């Protein structure tokens, strides 16, 4: 492949998220190859090489692999990359179940293989601000509440939601896995979880075979709880967080891009962080991908971006949430 000073990256999966990664990689002057399991209706993108086969020989041609195919097929590619000692970036969630996840995670650990998971919300400026704020704060956290939701039919305009993976539990659908970012944010900001309780249900008229609502209660190892509501039901897009601490509350509103401090001195609220007007959603994808390609030769596993092991933990939180709801009881981690 041309221009050996540029990284050669293979993208597996050319749907909406795969196409986004391809366009960003081209922007970063990478030589991009692509493989799609779909053989019909494949949207061709200029300036990339389309691979006919996905095997060890194909993997070896590249410096790194971006895994962006269907959730239930992620681990096929992860295994291949791990076997070939090939660094990879895998979209979230890393799978639709925990089957083989821990085995692959252990293999990656033993090989010290460089990996990243596409929890790009860790690169959101507000979340980065919160991470630093909480690390510096000496105040005790009493409890946290988080929420995210939107009417499923409005998610992907022009697409029949009944045919999307969101409607199929075997493909990783349902709010628990679909909206797993909130579980990862909770883990990243508040640390490991001791136990959890979940109630999930299908309560709307949506024609899906997955849960459209989940209420998850996480008990942190520090003793406070993180209360998470996920849904396909909200008439408008809503997302946010409220952190109740000793002498102060911190509120994050994703839609307005603001973090507000409330205390006795500021009962009306003091804005302590706000997104720059130039911020675009794709900035988060660019940030995480830039981290991946810039660290391929360094094998830097110390950055805040999520690696496979942390992704496996967030995956376990999702799996345990399903288990808790099915059992109707708290589940230890």
């Amino acid at each position: 492949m041309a221009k050996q000073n540029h990284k050669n990256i293979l993208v597996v999966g050319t749907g909406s998220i795969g196409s986004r990664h391809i366009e960003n990689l081209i922007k970063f002057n990478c030589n991009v190859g692509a493989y799609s399991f779909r053989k019909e209706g494949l949207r061709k993108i200029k300036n990339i090489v389309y691979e006919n086969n996905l095997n060890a020989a194909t993997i070896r041609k590249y410096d790194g692999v971006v895994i962006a195919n269907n959730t239930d097929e992620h681990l096929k590619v992860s295994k291949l990359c791990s076997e070939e000692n090939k660094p990879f970036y895998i979209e979230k969630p890393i799978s639709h179940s925990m089957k083989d996840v821990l085995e692959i995670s252990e293999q990656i650990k033993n090989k010290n293989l460089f990996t990243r998971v596409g929890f790009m919300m860790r690169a959101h400026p507000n979340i980065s601000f919160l991470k630093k704020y909480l690390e510096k704060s000496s105040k005790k956290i009493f409890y946290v509440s988080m929420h995210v939701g939107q009417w499923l039919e409005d998610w992907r305009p022009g697409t029949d939601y009944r045919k999307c993976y969101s409607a199929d539990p075997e493909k990783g659908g349902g709010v628990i896995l679909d909206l797993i970012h909130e579980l990862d944010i909770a883990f990243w900001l508040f640390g490991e979880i001791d136990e959890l309780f979940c109630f999930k249900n299908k309560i709307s008229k949506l024609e899906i075979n997955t849960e459209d609502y989940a209420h998850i209660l996480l008990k942190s190892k520090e003793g406070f709880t993180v209360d998470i509501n996920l849904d396909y039901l909200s008439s408008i897009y809503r997302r946010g967080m409220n952190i109740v601490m000793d002498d102060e509350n911190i509120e994050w509103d994703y839609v307005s891009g603001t973090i507000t401090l409330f205390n006795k001195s500021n009962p009306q609220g003091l804005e302590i962080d706000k997104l720059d007007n130039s911020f675009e959603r794709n900035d988060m994808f660019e940030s995480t991908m830039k981290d991946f390609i810039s660290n391929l030769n360094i094998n830097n596993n110390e950055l805040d971006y999520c690696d496979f092991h942390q992704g496996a933990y967030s995956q376990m939180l999702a799996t345990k949430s399903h288990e808790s709801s099915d059992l109707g009881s708290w589940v230890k981690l």
Side-chain angles (χ1 to χ4, degrees), residues 239-250:
R239 188 177 210 168
M241 182 190 315
N242 181 31
I243 307 172
V244 179
M245 306 167 71
D246 188 16
D247 294 328
E248 69 181 36
N249 284 25
I250 301 291

Side-chain angles (χ1 to χ4, degrees), residues 178-304:
D178 223 350
L179 299 173
I180 195 175
H181 275 301
E182 261 50 34
L183 287 170
D184 183 69
I185 291 171
F187 162 48
W188 193 49
L189 293 183
F190 307 115
E192 292 188 354
I193 304 304
D194 185 43
E195 58 182 338
L196 64 78
F197 181 85
C198 173
F199 171 79
K200 66 178 181 180
N201 204 357
K202 162 65 170 61
I203 57 180
S204 73
K205 63 182 180 181
L206 290 167
E207 297 177 49
I208 58 177
N209 295 315
T210 54
E211 77 279 357
D212 55 18
Y213 170 79
H215 187 157
I216 304 170
L217 190 60
L218 309 175
K219 182 181 177 183
S220 76
K221 290 189 179 294
E222 300 299 318
F224 61 87
T225 57
V226 182
D227 189 358
I228 305 176
N229 283 283
L230 313 172
D231 75 67
Y232 288 152
L233 310 173
S234 299
S235 58
I236 59 172
Y237 181 61
R238 52 189 285 280
R239 188 177 210 168
M241 182 190 315
N242 181 31
I243 307 172
V244 179
M245 306 167 71
D246 188 16
D247 294 328
E248 69 181 36
N249 284 25
I250 301 291
E251 291 190 2
W252 169 55
D253 187 308
Y254 175 88
V255 176
S256 65
T258 57
I259 297 176
T260 307
L261 167 69
F262 295 87
N263 56 25
K264 291 180 179 179
S265 300
N266 301 282
Q268 303 303 315
L270 174 67
E271 190 176 278
I272 56 176
D273 190 53
K274 184 173 177 59
L275 279 182
D276 189 279
N277 289 334
S278 64
F279 174 80
E280 296 180 358
R281 183 169 178 266
N282 192 55
D283 293 347
M284 295 184 285
F285 292 95
E286 286 190 6
S287 180
T288 53
M289 190 54 63
K290 189 180 295 183
D291 162 71
F292 175 65
I293 60 177
S294 63
N295 285 288
L296 280 173
N297 296 333
I298 303 173
N299 199 24
N300 186 350
N301 282 302
E302 302 302 320
L303 299 182
D304 284 333

Side-chain angles (χ1 to χ4, degrees), residues 80-203:
L80 185 57
C81 289
S82 180
E83 290 167 359
E84 294 301 317
N85 294 318
K86 190 64 63 177
F88 64 88
Y89 176 113
I90 182 171
E91 262 306 321
K92 65 83 191 172
I94 52 181
S95 187
H96 63 306
S97 72
M98 284 299 292
K99 186 177 184 298
D100 296 331
V101 169
L102 297 181
E103 177 185 338
I104 295 175
S105 183
E106 187 66 22
Q107 188 177 57
I108 289 169
K109 181 179 179 181
N110 292 337
K111 294 185 174 186
N112 194 31
L113 184 63
F114 177 65
T115 59
R116 286 291 184 259
V117 181
F119 282 110
M120 80 324 176
M121 282 299 298
R122 293 193 184 195
H124 191 286
N126 286 160
I127 297 299
S128 297
F129 177 90
L130 271 178
K131 176 75 170 174
K132 294 171 185 176
Y133 185 92
L134 293 172
E135 287 174 344
K136 292 178 181 178
S137 176
S138 60
K139 294 185 180 297
K140 178 181 177 64
I141 296 176
F142 292 144
Y143 69 88
V144 181
S145 58
M146 303 172 66
H147 62 270
V148 60
Q150 184 181 19
W151 185 243
L152 182 60
E153 289 185 84
D154 298 335
W155 274 34
R156 306 173 184 90
T159 302
D160 187 344
Y161 76 90
R162 294 167 294 188
K163 297 180 181 178
C164 292
Y165 68 87
S166 299
D168 188 346
E170 297 302 317
K171 293 184 177 180
V175 293
I176 293 175
L177 276 175
D178 223 350
L179 299 173
I180 195 175
H181 275 301
E182 261 50 34
L183 287 170
D184 183 69
I185 291 171
F187 162 48
W188 193 49
L189 293 183
F190 307 115
E192 292 188 354
I193 304 304
D194 185 43
E195 58 182 338
L196 64 78
F197 181 85
C198 173
F199 171 79
K200 66 178 181 180
N201 204 357
K202 162 65 170 61
I203 57 180

